[in-house]
Amino acid sequence: MNLDQIFSAGRTVFSLEIFPPKKTSSIDSVYTTIDELSQLKPDFISVTYGAGGTGAGSLTCKMASYIKEQGTESIAHLTCVNSTREEVLAALEDLKAHGVTNILALRGDKNPDIPPKEEFRYAYELIELIASQGGFHIAAACYPEGHPECGSLAQDVRHLKQKVDAGASHLISQLFFDNEDFYRFREMTAAAGIQVPIEAGIMPVTSRSQIERMVSMCGASIPKKLSRLLSRYGDDPLALTDVAIAYATDQIIDLIGAGVDGIHLYSMNNPAVARRIYENIKNALATGRS
């Protein structure tokens, strides 16, 4: 199913994100994760691009295809920073052959150990190529606090408009922890003429080291409230999990009340945490948007 149909239904979309296993892990464990997450009946599940190396994209395709076979729509991440045009076209053919027609088009993170290819410098160039092939729903990433490599949020919103003009028909935000940042961003995108649905990306903070790594990569800030909670409970995994679920629930309920187009929950391949959050928000989801 094209994701445009899901967003046109007039309700709050709920989606999840998972990632492929490490090279040393069995893919069977991820299939179990997919089966458990699918029981939450999300509108779709996104699959991140494999962590480099041969077969990274094919593993993403394999997982996205499996999700569809289990009855849930999927969207596959596709990056371009380390790809040639021919490699991207081959990946698109592979996705289409497996029935995967929804793509989250990303530049991808630069790896200091792998010199980037020169054919794609920005995500909008990848989006243009995908759009030229036809038959795909294209999503793009957005940053409520601005991309860490961009000079300002206003400049980043202008770059985001390029992605939409190139063919992106919905946006998924990077993680953020202060809803006011998202609301300010949403106002700026509207003023810039960006009218596609924007899903809010929410990540439950179940590990202090994990969130520190993610924040350093995406540039999200830690509000004082969350900082206090991390200081108090960061060394107690069970307590921190409870705190993470409560904090994410509070964010999501507020976002739904403000009419957000969708909630994209970064599950971190943890079905138990995702389920607890879903149980907390399912009734609010049912009444969101109109």
Side-chain angles (χ1 to χ4, degrees), residues 83-99:
S83 299
T84 64
R85 177 185 174 89
E86 287 70 25
E87 288 169 337
V88 168
L89 290 173
L92 293 175
E93 285 297 319
D94 191 31
L95 288 165
K96 189 173 288 187
H98 286 82

Side-chain angles (χ1 to χ4, degrees), residues 24-35:
T24 56
S25 301
S26 169
I27 194 172
D28 292 337
S29 63
V30 178
Y31 288 150
T32 300
T33 297
I34 290 172
D35 293 343

Side-chain angles (χ1 to χ4, degrees), residues 185-205:
F185 171 75
R186 190 167 61 170
E187 291 175 358
M188 292 179 68
T189 58
I194 296 172
Q195 300 179 341
V196 299
I198 303 176
E199 279 195 281
I202 300 298
M203 178 180 285
V205 185

Side-chain angles (χ1 to χ4, degrees), residues 17-95:
E17 180 171 294
I18 61 172
F19 50 81
K22 297 178 180 179
K23 295 179 182 179
T24 56
S25 301
S26 169
I27 194 172
D28 292 337
S29 63
V30 178
Y31 288 150
T32 300
T33 297
I34 290 172
D35 293 343
E36 292 185 38
L37 290 175
S38 296
Q39 293 174 12
L40 304 183
K41 303 299 181 183
D43 290 293
F44 64 90
I45 298 176
S46 79
V47 185
T48 67
Y49 198 73
T54 302
S58 62
L59 186 54
T60 297
C61 177
K62 187 175 182 180
M63 289 173 59
S65 177
Y66 178 81
I67 290 168
K68 286 178 64 72
E69 290 171 1
Q70 304 312 302
T72 301
E73 192 51 71
S74 66
I75 181 169
H77 294 210
L78 181 62
T79 65
C80 62
V81 67
N82 292 315
S83 299
T84 64
R85 177 185 174 89
E86 287 70 25
E87 288 169 337
V88 168
L89 290 173
L92 293 175
E93 285 297 319
D94 191 31
L95 288 165

Side-chain angles (χ1 to χ4, degrees), residues 49-50 52 56-57 76-89 91-92 95 103-111 114-130 138-139 163:
Y49 198 73
H77 294 210
L78 181 62
T79 65
C80 62
V81 67
N82 292 315
S83 299
T84 64
R85 177 185 174 89
E86 287 70 25
E87 288 169 337
V88 168
L89 290 173
L92 293 175
L95 288 165
I103 297 175
L104 177 56
L106 307 161
R107 184 199 68 179
D109 297 324
K110 295 180 180 178
N111 186 331
I114 303 176
K117 302 290 177 64
E118 299 297 328
E119 293 187 49
F120 299 96
R121 295 183 60 199
Y122 304 106
Y124 81 86
E125 296 169 324
L126 173 61
I127 293 170
E128 287 177 336
L129 177 58
I130 298 171
I138 308 170
K163 296 181 187 180

Side-chain angles (χ1 to χ4, degrees), residues 239-255:
L240 184 58
T241 296
D242 287 345
V243 168
I245 291 168
Y247 195 94
T249 296
D250 184 60
Q251 272 194 277
I252 294 170
I253 295 296
D254 182 66
L255 288 161

